[in-house]
């Protein structure tokens, strides 16, 4: 088990998709998601889809992943309107698959 996992408890991974008016910025549309993830100390990625949703994966200490899930469901970026957030493949992991949180294109 990594030092991070020992220090913070269980590590979790979860996939997400955010529905609504969520692709509102033409430049770095996911910059707010990336900023929030980095502020919370979780890792993973975010990407716009061709269907107008935002999708990605978050990994980190369970408490921090839960905080990110709440942000993705209720807050989002300024001017966004979140209709629904779907979470899938939530599981406990033994180590992080990513070293940072970034936007994929």
């Amino acid at each position: 088990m990594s030092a991070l996992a020992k220090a913070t408890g269980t590590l979790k991974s979860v996939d997400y998709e955010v529905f609504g008016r969520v692709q509102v910025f033409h430049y770095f549309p996911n910059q707010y998601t990336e900023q929030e993830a980095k502020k919370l100390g979780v890792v993973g990625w975010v990407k716009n889809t061709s269907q107008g949703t935002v999708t990605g994966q978050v990994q980190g200490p369970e408490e921090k992943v839960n905080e990110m899930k709440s942000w993705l469901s209720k807050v989002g970026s300024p001017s966004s309107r979140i209709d629904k957030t779907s979470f899938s493949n939530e599981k406990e992991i033994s180590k992080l698959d990513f070293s940072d949180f970034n936007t994929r294109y």
Side-chain angles (χ1 to χ4, degrees):
M1 186 180 279
S2 72
L4 177 65
K6 285 179 186 163
T8 58
T10 305
L11 289 176
K12 288 283 208 178
S13 175
V14 66
D15 298 337
Y16 63 88
E17 187 166 13
V18 184
F19 300 82
R21 195 172 70 108
V22 292
Q23 293 185 15
V24 294
F25 293 97
H26 298 293
Y27 63 99
F28 299 113
N30 298 308
Q31 71 180 14
Y32 293 99
T33 303
E34 197 171 314
Q35 284 174 357
E36 185 66 17
K38 288 178 179 182
K39 184 176 93 176
L40 290 174
V42 295
V43 298
W45 56 274
V46 61
K47 179 180 179 178
N48 288 337
T49 70
S50 58
Q51 293 80 32
T53 64
V54 171
T55 188
Q57 186 177 77
V58 175
Q59 294 183 348
E62 183 173 21
E63 178 184 315
K64 298 298 182 183
V65 169
N66 288 340
E67 287 181 48
M68 189 68 187
K69 285 172 63 178
S70 178
W71 186 87
L72 288 164
S73 299
K74 299 173 185 163
V75 181
S77 60
S79 304
S80 66
R81 186 196 72 240
I82 299 167
D83 293 338
K84 174 178 89 166
T85 305
S86 141
F87 297 99
S88 60
N89 301 320
E90 187 161 355
K91 60 190 175 207
E92 193 172 311
I93 56 174
S94 60
K95 67 178 183 62
L96 300 172
D97 295 325
F98 309 98
S99 59
D100 201 357
F101 194 97
N102 57 52
T103 300
R104 292 185 176 176
Y105 297 96

